[in-house]
Amino acid sequence: MPAFRIDWRWIALFAIIIILANTRSLPWPITALALAFPAGWLLYQAAQTFGISLPGLRQSNTRVTYWRGRRIETTGPSHRRPLLNRHNLASGLLYGIAGLALALAALAVVARNLGA
C-alpha cells in the first residue's frame, strides 16, 4: 500500500486561494505577499528550466568521491543542458508567463494602495 504523502505546493496553493478569496477583509500587504511569493517561485522555476544561473546560486561542477576513506574532489566537464528543446521551452514559458502575471498583479495591488 503506498504511503500517504502531502506535497507542500498543494498546501501553498490552497493557502493562496484562501487568502485571495478573503482579499476584502485582509490587509493589502498580505494580499500583495500572497501574489509575490508564488510569482518569485514561478520565475525562479522558469530560470532553472531555461538553464539561467542566478547570481549566488551557481552549481559547481566538482565531483566528490571517496576512496579508502579519503575525500577526493575532482572538477569535471561542465554539465550544460541543451540550450532549448520543446519540453524546456513550453514549461519555461508557462512558468515565466504565470510568474510574470502574478508579479504584475502584486505590483498593481501595491500601486493601488500606495498611490491612493
Side-chain angles (χ1 to χ4, degrees):
M1 188 162 118
F4 182 70
R5 194 174 134 193
I6 297 175
D7 192 4
W8 66 269
R9 292 174 288 199
W10 286 107
I11 296 171
L13 178 67
F14 188 64
I16 290 166
I17 289 171
I18 290 172
I19 289 171
L20 293 178
N22 296 315
T23 301
R24 292 185 185 251
S25 62
L26 292 173
W28 68 267
I30 293 176
T31 304
L33 288 175
L35 291 168
F37 280 136
W41 184 78
L42 285 171
L43 291 172
Y44 174 72
Q45 291 298 319
Q48 276 190 333
T49 302
F50 286 135
I52 300 170
S53 65
L54 300 174
L57 299 176
R58 290 194 171 202
Q59 296 177 349
S60 65
N61 60 347
T62 55
R63 194 173 128 209
V64 177
T65 57
Y66 292 93
W67 187 69
R68 292 189 180 182
R70 293 187 183 204
R71 178 185 169 113
I72 301 170
E73 294 182 13
T74 57
T75 58
S78 64
H79 300 294
R80 301 199 100 172
R81 291 189 269 180
L83 194 55
L84 285 177
N85 60 25
R86 278 190 223 170
H87 177 63
N88 286 353
L89 183 64
S91 61
L93 284 176
L94 184 65
Y95 285 140
I97 291 170
L100 189 60
L102 287 174
L104 290 175
L107 284 175
V109 167
V110 170
R112 182 182 64 214
N113 289 296
L114 289 181

